[in-house]
Every structure is written in structure tokens, then in C-alpha cells.
Amino acid sequence: MLSESKVNILLVDDQPENLLALEAILEDLGQNLVRAMSGEAALRHLLHQDFAVILLDVQMPNMDGFEVASLIRSRERSRETPIIFLTAFSTTEQFMFRGYALGAVDYLIKPIATNVLKSKVAVFIELFRKTEALRQQTAALQQQTAQLETINTELQMSEERFRSLSTCSPVGVFVTETSGRCVYTNPRFQALCGLAEEACQNWLQAVHADDQPEAAATWSDYLQGGQEYSLEFRLSTPAAAPLWGHIRAARMLSDQGKFLGHVGTIEDITERKQAEAANARIIREQAAREEAEAANRMKDEFIAILSHELRTPLNAILGWTHLIRSRPCNESTLANALEIIERNAHSQAKLIEDILDVSQIVRGKLQLERHPVDLAAVANAALDTVRSLAEAKGITLVLQFDPNCGLEVVGDAMRLQQVIWNLLTNAVKFTPEQGRIEVHVSAVEAAADSEADQTPQQWAQVQVIDTGIGIEPEFLPYVFERFRQADSTTTRSHGGLGLGLAIVRHLVEQHQGAIQADSPGRNQGSTFTVRLPLQLGQSPAQPSRPSTVTPATTSLEGVQVLVVDDDADTLAFLSCLLRTEGAQVTAAASAIEALEILNSETPAVLLCDISMPDMDGYTLMHKLRTQMSDPQAQIPAIALTAHARLSDQQQALAAGFQRHLAKPIEPRMLVQAITQVMRP
């Protein structure tokens, strides 16, 4: 059992020896003895502490015991504290009456009898303890009573709140037994579901007939599993259109954790559902609009690329034609010029053929002839037409097929050759020098495309496998789409319209075949696989290549000109033309090479192509104007480009060029433009 706490006893005497004597007498009681050597000190102790008894000397300077007692009794906190007067004088009745009037409980005459003092003080200690215990019990009882009253009040308010909230709630509320049977529904529930409280046995009665099976199944799972329930269903109401309700439910537990049943809500979310439907419609419309805008952008890019691809060979053709017609040429120069003209003419013819093919495909006018075709022979013929292109880049071409395997399909031989030729020229274009291209022709067995017919079917398969730059995974799904190229910027490294593979896919599908592109990724090569039923077929087209260029006239005598163009034919043509005019020409095959030249030379005029790999003409001009010092930064510049739209001209002038000349370049106009930009 814990020992009782000590109580305070106040000893008041102006003589230290008297205080020591009192402490010695009362020490055995084991209480907390507090000293005060004046009335003022005693009153200070009484401000913060309660005492079981006060032993108060009567005769003290400044303030005697009676005055101190009077002040003690005047304070609420110490009014009932017992006071025993201590005095060294014999008392008269008047003296004693005055003390008792001030609240004294006793008088003790000094010297004080030890046993008497101890017994009297002990009585007051016990009385103090009992009084304190009774006070604490009373306070505790009062606190409990107050708490009970508060709890009752809160319960009443809670019930009133629940009734009020339930009645006024904007959501339907239902309460069920542990089995799931409804025992309470609020007015909003009844209004939403069209069910009176007494008629509602289960909230499932309110669910639309089409949603009943799912609602019943999920509610059954909830009753067995006990997880929180939250689902959306249509409600069957008298209204013409069904409402949508969001049903939530949870288990009810008592404070002791006992399962009491379920409480749930039904919220009308019809407006939200209508808004979601409207939003979905807007998103679909926006997606369609964005798709249309993307298609328009692709067409715009295609137009720009088409302009570039047509004007670049035209530049070489017209340039060399002008030189041949206007100046005598030796046999070597004339032969080189004719070869370049022919090569670029073939390139333009191929572009035009592709455009016409796409036009026919779009209009559904592309017609096929149907004859038995030896696919291996077609592949071999296509291979022969691209062999010179491959040899020019040091690319190894390999044809692999089983001569004993019959690979006869029915189709258009020319169109089938066009398919294989397009795939081969594509592979040559995207395969670096010293690469390898393999053509595998074989018969394979695979399931038919029809889900109803799973019988294995014999196919003729052509695979074109290269060690080229590969195809990025994100571009693979679009590789056969019209107007789509992995790189359509002015820095693209490979030409073309982005039509060849779209034409190939259409031709293959016209032969009831299929084509697939595969690539492990960037710089890991690619594989194009064509499958044709061993009863059908298709055919090829003709390739093309770039060009080179030569001479002109004289009127730029001694003018230093830097010519920048990644196309070798155009670079040769411009260099020859300008030298014929008397200019001193420095040729650069890239913007990076041009920057290196400009670091050490200051030409009078810069002629620069726009579409170049790695760095385009706009970037070169920006670096020249902003990063180089005078006089290089002030060199007059002319943009020579196959991008010939008005916006291209504006962009060139904004980039820092003084003039914009569209390819093909007319020599007289070029000389005139150089003369004009050199004027102060």
C-alpha cells in the first residue's frame, strides 16, 4: 500500500530558537514543516499552499499574531485553516476571547508540553486528510455527474442531428440488419428509388433491371467478404430516363466491435454521368480534330519534302543543260554531264511514278494484271536493277532461294517486281557503306488470316534483311503509312517522299498478301517480310539516283565564294558555274565543314543549302551571325534551297540570309544575286 502524502504545517515565530524547538517536537510526525519568522512571511506561504494547522506566536514585532490571524481569516482559501496560538504570557479571559474571535482553536503557553502539542497537531493532520479526501470524492462525484449530463446532452443532440441530417440529407440513406435486410430508409432514398420505407426490403429493388444481375452478385460478395462497397448503377424510377446512382455501404460496429449491420448511401450522379458522356464526346471530337490536324501537318510536310525532292535533281539537270548548251565541252565533261542528267531524270521519273501510284491508290484506280508469276525470277530481276546502286556504296547483295521449290504465284509481275525493288532500294538507302543486304525467297506454311479457317496455308515469302540504321520501336507502327517519315526535318540524312512503303503495302494487300516490318532498334538493321499465297502475285518499278554538276560564264572575276551543299551533284555544278564566271570557289559538303573554313577564311559571298544532315543552313547562319566576329559575321549570304514556299523564303531572310533562291538555280539569276548582295 502506498504511504500517505505529507501535509503542510506552518510554524510562525520571530525567534529562530523557538522555531527549532517546534520542529524538534513535531519532527516525529513526519510531515512537511514550513517556517515563517514574521506575519508577512506567513501570509506569503498561505498565498500558494494549504496547511493542516498553523502554530502562531502571539508576540511578534511589526505584526502580532492577532493581526496575522485576522488577515488569514479574511482570505477564502485559509478561512477554515485551524490556528493554535503560542504565547509566553498567561492569558486573561479577554485575551483568550479575542483569539477565539479571530478563529483560534486553542492556546498553548510556552514552554509547551511536547505530548500535548504533538497530540493536538496530530488530530488536525488527520482531520485535514479526511477533509481533503472527502473534498476530492465530492469533486470526483461532481465531475462524473457533469460528464453524465454532458454525455446525455450530446446523445440527445446526436440523435436530433441524425434525424435532421437523415431527413434533410441530399443522399439516400439505408440501414440493414446483418443479413442485409433494410430496417431504415430516409426520405431522400425513398424519393430516389420510388419506394416507401415499409415496402423496401432490399436496396437492390431500386436497381434498373439491366443492372440487377451485376448489383446482386457484387452485393452478395460484399456481404460475405465485408469489404467496403462502392459501385454505380442505373436506378429504376418512374422517370422516363433512368437515374444513375452511386451506392456505397460499410459494416456498422459497436464500441465493443460487435457487428450490428450495414449502413449505406445512394447518391444521384445522373448529372455527373451526363457530363462525363458529354466530355467523352468532346474528347472524341477533339481527338478527331487533332487527327485531322496531324494528317494536314503530315500532308504539309509531304508537300515540303516533295518540293525538295523534285527541285534537287532539277537543279542538276537544268544546270548541266545550260552549261552544255552555252559552252563547248570536251567529251569527258559532256559524258559526265549526260550521265548526271539521265540519273536525275530517272530520279524525278520515279518520284512522279510514286505520286501517280498513290493518286491511283487513293482513288481506287490501281489495276493489276493476273498471270502466273515465278517469284524467284521476279526477285532476281529486281536485284539486278539495284545492284549498281549497292556496289556504289560497297554493299554486299545476297539472294538465297531453293531452286527446287516451286514459288509460282498469280499476280502482276511488274507490280511484284516494284514491291521487291522498292524494298531493296529502301534497304540500300538506309544501309551504310560496306553493309550487307540479303533477299530470302522461300515457301512457308502458316495459318490463314480468317478466324473461321485455321487450316495451314502455303505462302511464298520474300524477306529483305539489311544491316542498316534500323527503325525506332515507336515508329514501327507507322512505317507503311503515307506521308509518314521517321525524320521529316531539314536535317534529315536520307531523301525520299515517304510513299514507297505505303505503295508496297497496298500492292501486297491487292495480291491478298501481307507485309511486316521488324527491327531490334536503332542501328540494328531491319527486316521486311512479304507473304503471298501460292496462287497470287505482284511486281516492281524503276530506281533512281542523285546527280553532279559543271560550267558557266564570267563576270565574278576574282570574287571569293564559299559554296555549301550536301548534294555532290549540286556542289559540283555550282562550283563549275562560278569558276567559269571567274570566281574563286571553296566547296564545303556540310555546314560543319563550312564553319571550319570560315574560321580561317573570309569569302566575299556565302552560298548555302538549307536541308543538310547534322546541321541545316538555318543553324549555320545563326552561328555565323551570332557566334563569329567581324568580318566573317557580316559575310553576305544567299540561301540556295529546294524549299521554295513563301514561308521558306521568309524564314531564310529572318535567319540572316540576304537572298533566297529556289532550286533549280538559273545561272544568270545566281550571278545577278551574288553581284547584288556584294554591293555596300
Side-chain angles (χ1 to χ4, degrees):
M1 183 177 176
L2 296 173
S3 59
E4 292 180 309
S5 59
K6 293 181 179 181
V7 301
N8 298 323
I9 300 173
L10 182 59
L11 309 178
V12 188
D13 200 304
D14 61 319
Q15 300 299 320
E17 58 272 19
N18 291 340
L19 291 173
L20 286 172
L22 289 172
E23 286 177 347
I25 294 170
L26 301 175
E27 187 177 16
D28 292 345
L29 296 176
Q31 305 305 318
N32 185 30
L33 304 176
V34 180
R35 285 183 172 198
M37 295 188 66
S38 66
E40 292 85 349
L43 292 172
R44 279 197 297 272
H45 286 302
L46 285 163
L47 288 174
H48 309 292
Q49 293 174 284
D50 292 322
F51 293 91
V53 64
I54 302 172
L55 303 182
L56 179 59
D57 185 29
V58 174
Q59 303 297 327
M60 290 187 297
N62 298 329
M63 186 186 299
D64 63 18
F66 295 131
E67 292 175 309
V68 173
S70 177
L71 291 172
I72 289 172
R73 290 291 177 254
S74 66
R75 291 180 67 252
E76 182 66 30
R77 184 169 179 172
S78 57
R79 182 168 296 157
E80 303 300 330
T81 304
I83 300 174
I84 299 177
F85 282 119
L86 305 178
T87 180
F89 301 97
S90 57
T91 58
T92 62
E93 283 188 2
Q94 185 179 1
F95 191 85
M96 291 176 63
F97 286 151
R98 184 182 177 191
Y100 286 128
L102 292 172
V105 296
D106 206 348
Y107 276 95
L108 294 179
I109 307 298
K110 300 178 182 177
I112 299 169
T114 301
N115 291 336
V116 172
L117 180 59
K118 285 175 68 175
S119 63
K120 288 181 180 290
V121 170
V123 169
F124 288 115
I125 290 172
E126 186 64 24
L127 180 60
F128 180 82
R129 282 183 171 147
K130 289 182 177 179
T131 303
E132 186 65 20
L134 181 60
R135 187 187 64 79
Q136 290 177 355
Q137 290 175 359
T138 303
L141 186 59
Q142 290 173 343
Q143 185 178 8
Q144 289 175 358
T145 302
Q147 288 175 343
L148 284 172
E149 290 177 353
T150 302
I151 290 170
N152 287 331
T153 302
E154 288 178 352
L155 280 173
Q156 290 175 355
M157 291 176 65
S158 178
E159 289 176 2
E160 289 174 4
R161 263 198 309 272
F162 174 77
R163 281 194 297 271
S164 176
L165 287 172
S166 177
T167 302
C168 304
S169 173
V171 299
V173 178
F174 63 91
V175 179
T176 77
E177 295 176 337
T178 55
S179 63
R181 188 179 68 85
C182 277
V183 294
Y184 170 78
T185 58
N186 75 336
R188 179 58 175 165
F189 177 96
Q190 297 157 26
L192 276 176
C193 303
L195 294 170
E197 184 172 11
E198 58 276 7
C200 182
Q201 299 296 311
N202 194 322
W203 67 267
L204 292 170
Q205 295 172 243
V207 177
H208 192 277
D210 292 345
D211 294 350
Q212 277 276 356
E214 182 187 357
T218 54
W219 181 248
S220 177
D221 291 342
Y222 162 72
L223 292 178
Q224 294 173 14
Q227 300 298 321
E228 186 172 329
Y229 188 84
S230 177
L231 282 174
E232 297 173 357
F233 298 109
R234 286 171 295 173
L235 302 178
S236 181
T237 66
L243 300 177
W244 275 90
H246 187 175
I247 292 87
R248 295 183 178 90
R251 291 161 61 91
M252 288 192 303
L253 301 175
S254 68
D255 292 342
Q256 292 74 36
K258 182 182 177 182
F259 177 41
L260 303 176
H262 306 272
V263 61
T265 61
I266 294 183
E267 181 182 1
D268 184 356
I269 58 169
T270 306
E271 289 186 4
R272 196 198 82 198
K273 282 290 185 179
Q274 291 171 345
E276 287 175 355
N279 191 45
R281 186 170 60 254
I282 291 169
I283 291 172
R284 285 195 300 272
E285 291 171 355
Q286 185 176 353
R289 187 163 53 250
E290 289 174 356
E291 188 175 340
E293 290 171 355
N296 286 334
R297 280 196 302 272
M298 284 192 291
K299 288 177 183 176
D300 288 344
E301 288 175 3
F302 170 75
I303 298 291
I305 292 170
L306 175 62
S307 172
H308 180 271
E309 294 296 314
L310 286 172
R311 288 173 181 273
T312 297
L314 268 177
N315 189 58
I317 292 169
L318 295 178
W320 278 106
T321 302
H322 174 80
L323 291 175
I324 292 169
R325 289 169 63 89
S326 61
R327 291 172 181 72
C329 299
N330 58 37
E331 286 188 16
S332 173
T333 303
L334 184 60
N336 184 46
L338 291 173
E339 181 187 345
I340 292 170
I341 290 170
E342 182 179 16
R343 189 166 61 242
N344 282 277
H346 278 307
S347 173
Q348 281 208 318
K350 177 62 178 66
L351 292 175
I352 293 167
E353 286 172 9
D354 282 352
I355 293 168
L356 292 175
D357 281 347
V358 168
S359 175
Q360 286 182 305
I361 289 169
V362 169
R363 291 182 292 121
K365 300 290 186 181
L366 190 66
Q367 300 296 320
L368 300 179
E369 295 184 7
R370 305 284 178 177
H371 303 289
V373 177
D374 182 352
L375 196 58
V378 169
N380 204 21
L383 205 65
D384 286 340
T385 61
V386 298
R387 198 174 299 280
S388 60
L389 294 174
E391 288 172 353
K393 294 180 69 175
I395 294 172
T396 302
L397 279 180
V398 179
L399 174 61
Q400 295 182 359
F401 70 96
D402 183 357
N404 299 318
C405 179
L407 291 171
E408 191 174 86
V409 297
V410 176
D412 189 319
M414 291 299 293
R415 290 300 186 181
L416 285 174
Q417 188 176 337
Q418 181 181 355
V419 167
I420 300 172
W421 183 87
N422 270 356
L423 294 176
L424 285 170
T425 53
N426 209 55
V428 170
K429 180 165 63 173
F430 292 106
T431 299
E433 294 183 359
Q434 312 305 319
R436 180 181 177 88
I437 298 173
E438 295 180 4
V439 181
H440 296 194
V441 184
S442 60
V444 296
E445 191 176 88
D449 290 338
S450 169
E451 292 183 6
D453 181 11
Q454 294 299 316
T455 306
Q457 184 174 344
Q458 291 291 323
W459 298 84
Q461 177 173 283
V462 179
Q463 283 190 311
V464 178
I465 306 168
D466 64 60
T467 58
I469 64 172
I471 305 170
E472 299 283 3
E474 57 270 20
F475 187 69
L476 268 175
Y478 310 106
V479 74
F480 294 110
E481 289 188 9
R482 292 194 301 271
F483 314 128
R484 288 297 285 264
Q485 291 188 315
D487 181 9
S488 59
T489 66
T490 54
T491 60
R492 64 198 187 112
S493 303
H494 306 279
L497 297 179
L499 296 178
L501 291 178
I503 294 170
V504 165
R505 180 176 66 173
H506 181 79
L507 291 176
V508 170
E509 290 174 350
Q510 285 288 89
H511 285 83
Q512 284 73 53
I515 185 168
Q516 177 179 334
D518 297 288
S519 176
R522 187 76 174 167
N523 297 320
Q524 298 186 61
S526 56
T527 300
F528 286 83
T529 303
V530 175
R531 284 183 179 174
L532 301 167
L534 277 174
Q535 294 112 4
L536 287 168
Q538 251 189 357
S539 136
Q542 280 291 333
S544 60
R545 255 184 77 141
S547 41
T548 340
V549 190
T550 314
T553 352
T554 354
S555 72
L556 298 177
E557 198 66 40
V559 176
Q560 291 184 327
V561 182
L562 173 58
V563 183
V564 187
D565 201 308
D566 65 306
D567 182 75
D569 291 343
T570 303
L571 193 61
F573 163 66
L574 292 173
S575 299
C576 185
L577 167 65
L578 295 172
R579 288 192 183 105
T580 307
E581 292 289 338
Q584 298 177 9
V585 180
T586 302
S590 70
I592 295 171
E593 185 181 342
L595 283 175
E596 293 174 355
I597 293 170
L598 288 168
N599 281 325
S600 56
E601 296 181 21
T602 309
V605 179
L606 169 65
L607 304 183
C608 183
D609 187 23
I610 295 298
S611 294
M612 295 183 288
D614 302 324
M615 182 189 297
D616 63 16
Y618 298 133
T619 307
L620 170 60
M621 186 53 54
H622 176 74
K623 290 181 179 291
L624 177 66
R625 298 299 188 219
T626 63
Q627 298 180 14
M628 302 191 79
S629 55
D630 291 335
Q632 281 89 342
Q634 301 300 324
I635 295 171
I638 299 174
L640 305 180
T641 174
H643 294 288
R645 295 172 301 179
L646 179 60
S647 60
D648 296 319
Q649 179 181 346
Q650 293 169 342
Q651 187 175 0
L653 297 176
F657 289 98
Q658 276 66 48
R659 289 290 298 275
H660 171 277
L661 295 182
K663 295 177 182 178
I665 303 298
E666 203 280 308
R668 184 179 56 81
M669 294 293 294
L670 177 60
V671 172
Q672 183 180 352
I674 292 172
T675 306
Q676 289 174 347
V677 298
M678 287 174 56
R679 292 175 186 160

